[in-house]
Amino acid sequence: MKNVSLLVLIIISIVGCKPEEPKEEWKSLFNGTNLDGWDIKISGHELNENFKNTFIVEDSIIKVNYAEYDTFTHEFGHLYYKVPYSKYRLRMQYRIFGELTPGSPYYAEANSGVMLHAQSAASQQLNQDFPASIEMQFLSRIDSNDRATGNLASPGTHVIRDNKLYTDHMMYADGKTYEDQWVNVEAIVLGDSIVHHVVEGDTVLTYYNPQIGGWETDNTDRWLKDKTWVKKMAGTPLKEGYIALQAEGHPVWFRNIEILDLSKGNKTNGSE
């Protein structure tokens, strides 16, 4: 009987010593009160000039706000988190609603996004519209047309798909259409190896090896007037960069913005 009791104690001891699974250490990037920790860059305006209060905080929501605009001329804006990341999971909720601001380009209707691996706000030229980055595009329905959210737009960048360099500006996701509602999205970014776009728990797009490229051969001034930087950097792997919320003419809200830094030993289902 003593041997049986001893065996039970040993089993309990072994089970009790089993190491616990490490907890995921998600960090909130937005304090819910103000824009501390973020930089603002709006085309045509100096760093951190919040032109006409384009970015405001209300009710624990970051709001892209055009209430003070009579017309949108060229004020493409981005709100940058001040810390760069390399390997991470980023999750948030967005909601697109209302009407396109007068003067905005047609393609901006019901359109926003988050820029991943972006160049810094401080490195942008004064009149630069978009940072070199990979964008997880957020869309909402227009009229009765279906428009899957979670596409890739690639200003100043290329990626690999099907083992080939993908140079088109847009790569389209395979997902659902959402309309005037909060949508849960997640980007899983593993340095310069692999990127997943996840919408409401479904992976809608995957691509590989983000790198600088595209602007150096563009004959227009739409993206960047001084192409010295991208010519020098073309083909350089995008191993890290900044996270930036987009404002390009249509009202959009963002909330519950959190990051899981995978460089700190947190695990993910993706693979390098």
Side-chain angles (χ1 to χ4, degrees):
M1 193 67 180
K2 290 182 179 179
N3 292 338
V4 172
S5 298
L6 180 61
L7 179 61
V8 170
L9 288 173
I10 291 172
I11 292 172
I12 292 173
S13 177
I14 292 172
V15 171
C17 291
K18 184 179 178 181
E20 294 184 4
E21 288 291 324
K23 294 182 179 179
E24 293 182 343
E25 297 180 357
W26 286 89
K27 173 186 176 181
S28 179
L29 300 186
F30 170 46
N31 63 22
T33 303
N34 54 44
L35 296 177
D36 287 355
W38 297 80
D39 281 325
I40 296 169
K41 181 63 183 75
I42 297 173
S43 182
H45 299 272
E46 297 292 343
L47 180 66
N48 286 322
E49 180 187 347
N50 192 6
F51 179 71
K52 291 187 180 294
N53 293 310
T54 301
F55 296 100
I56 62 174
V57 175
E58 292 179 337
D59 303 321
S60 297
I61 298 168
I62 294 176
K63 298 183 178 181
V64 175
N65 164 61
Y66 295 106
E68 298 181 29
Y69 281 65
D70 294 322
T71 184
F72 184 100
T73 54
H74 209 78
E75 297 87 2
F76 296 98
H78 296 84
L79 181 67
Y80 292 77
Y81 191 66
K82 290 185 177 182
V83 177
Y85 288 92
S86 176
K87 299 178 181 181
Y88 57 90
R89 290 170 59 188
L90 175 72
R91 66 188 183 190
M92 70 180 75
Q93 295 174 308
Y94 79 86
R95 180 187 173 199
I96 297 174
F97 64 97
E99 302 294 330
L100 185 65
T101 307
S104 303
Y106 72 92
Y107 59 79
E109 185 173 6
N111 184 345
S112 187
V114 59
M115 321 306 273
L116 311 169
H117 276 1
Q119 68 181 107
S120 68
S123 70
Q124 283 191 232
Q125 296 175 41
L126 179 66
N127 296 315
Q128 187 174 335
D129 293 346
F130 305 97
S133 57
I134 47 178
E135 177 191 346
M136 184 177 181
Q137 185 186 57
F138 303 153
L139 298 177
S140 183
R141 185 187 299 279
I142 297 178
D143 298 326
S144 60
N145 298 321
D146 287 339
R147 302 201 311 163
T149 196
N151 300 324
L152 165 69
S154 53
T157 57
H158 295 320
V159 300
I160 299 294
R161 187 180 191 184
D162 299 328
N163 296 314
K164 296 179 181 178
L165 186 67
Y166 191 91
T167 60
D168 289 356
H169 177 59
M170 294 297 305
M171 181 186 294
Y172 294 98
D174 181 17
K176 298 179 180 179
T177 299
Y178 299 90
E179 181 177 8
D180 192 8
Q181 66 190 87
W182 287 108
V183 182
N184 294 285
V185 293
E186 180 176 338
I188 303 173
V189 184
L190 302 180
D192 64 342
S193 62
I194 186 170
V195 181
H196 301 290
H197 292 186
V198 182
V199 179
E200 295 292 348
D202 292 329
T203 301
V204 298
L205 195 63
T206 296
Y207 50 91
Y208 306 84
N209 307 125
Q211 58 195 265
I212 295 293
W215 280 341
E216 74 279 7
T217 57
D218 194 317
N219 292 322
T220 73
D221 289 336
R222 176 184 175 190
W223 305 111
L224 200 64
K225 291 184 181 296
D226 180 1
K227 300 182 186 297
T228 304
W229 182 78
V230 290
K231 286 181 179 179
K232 179 181 178 181
M233 299 294 289
T236 302
L238 274 175
K239 296 179 179 294
E240 67 172 17
Y242 293 82
I243 293 162
L245 306 177
Q246 188 178 75
E248 57 178 359
H250 201 114
V252 57
W253 292 355
F254 302 98
R255 71 180 184 186
N256 299 329
I257 307 166
E258 298 179 309
I259 196 164
L260 180 67
D261 188 350
L262 299 175
S263 67
K264 295 183 177 180
N266 292 298
K267 295 181 179 180
T268 182
N269 293 327
S271 60
E272 294 187 17

